[in-house]
């Protein structure tokens, strides 16, 4: 939803809806802005738009991870509560998938970063399993490393969230 060129969430949704789009990835928000979608009043607005316009919220993005590194084990004290809040929001909003971006400071560039990312994603998979929420890693790893990531997580509710533009845009 954040890619639609409008001023706010409602105008983005209504603009995209006019274009025929009925499914949206929405974002939890950042820690610095208080994770707006964790606010029940904001959730109610999104639910109203969903009902009024016949929408589906396909994914809840955790774009905070672009500025709080999953690749740093020291950030787990910050990231794990965000994951728990995102799961609560996904359940409340009936969103089946959480998207974990590995871009910005969470880009996987070395073995330590890969290991920390695996630890974060394993935690998320365990925490989300009871609610049937899927966990998707969006990253720019090449195919062999995607397979290693899948094998390293080895969880039935883990997915690769693949955007065809990421390998080119993020890795050239």
């Amino acid at each position: 939803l954040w890619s639609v060129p409008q001023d706010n969430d409602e105008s983005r949704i209504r603009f995209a809806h006019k274009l025929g789009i009925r499914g949206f990835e929405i974002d939890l928000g950042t820690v610095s802005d208080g994770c707006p979608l964790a606010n029940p009043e904001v959730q109610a607005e999104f639910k109203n738009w969903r009902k009024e316009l016949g929408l589906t919220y396909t994914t809840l993005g955790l774009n905070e991870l672009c500025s709080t590194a999953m690749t740093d084990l020291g950030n787990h004290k910050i990231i794990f509560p965000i994951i728990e809040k995102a799961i609560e929001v996904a359940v409340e909003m009936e969103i089946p998938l959480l998207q974990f971006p590995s871009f910005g400071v969470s880009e996987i560039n070395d073995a330590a970063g890969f290991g920390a990312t695996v630890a974060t994603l394993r935690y998320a998979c365990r925490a989300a399993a009871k609610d049937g929420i899927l966990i998707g890693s969006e990253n720019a790893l090449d195919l062999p490393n995607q397979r290693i990531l899948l094998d390293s997580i080895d969880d039935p509710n883990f997915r690769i969230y693949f955007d065809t533009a990421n390998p080119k845009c993020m890795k050239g």
Side-chain angles (χ1 to χ4, degrees):
L1 183 61
W2 52 88
S3 298
V4 177
Q6 298 294 314
D7 294 335
N8 59 56
D9 290 331
E10 182 177 11
S11 64
R12 286 183 190 103
I13 285 175
R14 291 189 184 281
F15 176 76
H17 182 265
K18 285 180 185 177
L19 298 176
I21 298 170
R22 301 295 184 264
F24 295 91
E25 176 179 352
I26 58 179
D27 185 52
L28 182 65
T30 63
V31 171
S32 63
D33 67 10
C35 296
L37 204 55
N39 179 328
E41 292 173 6
V42 174
Q43 291 175 17
E45 289 178 325
F46 274 84
K47 288 178 183 180
N48 288 336
W49 301 326
R50 177 175 59 201
K51 183 178 179 181
E52 174 192 345
L53 301 171
L55 307 176
T56 300
Y57 298 131
T58 59
T59 311
L60 179 63
L62 280 76
N63 288 329
E64 170 68 29
L65 300 176
C66 294
S67 56
T68 304
M70 272 194 297
T71 52
D72 181 349
L73 289 171
N75 285 336
H76 282 175
K77 64 186 175 296
I78 299 166
I79 293 172
F80 287 6
I82 293 169
I83 292 169
E84 292 160 10
K85 181 55 70 180
I87 292 167
E88 290 173 20
V89 170
V91 169
E92 179 63 31
M93 298 287 297
E94 301 174 13
I95 300 172
L97 173 68
L98 298 181
Q99 177 251 18
F100 284 69
S102 286
F103 305 114
V105 298
S106 285
E107 183 177 352
I108 303 167
N109 292 315
D110 56 31
F114 185 91
T117 300
V118 166
T120 300
L121 294 170
R122 282 182 182 157
Y123 175 83
C125 287
R126 286 190 309 271
K130 71 183 181 320
D131 296 304
I133 305 294
L134 299 173
I135 302 301
S137 171
E138 183 181 22
N139 62 66
L141 295 173
D142 61 14
L143 187 57
N145 283 307
Q146 296 286 6
R147 173 55 56 197
I148 293 168
L149 182 63
L150 283 165
D151 292 344
S152 296
I153 305 294
D154 191 29
D155 194 286
N157 67 326
F158 180 69
R159 303 291 190 274
I160 298 297
Y161 191 94
F162 186 70
D163 178 334
T164 58
N166 286 335
K168 175 138 178 60
C169 292
M170 302 299 175
K171 295 290 188 179

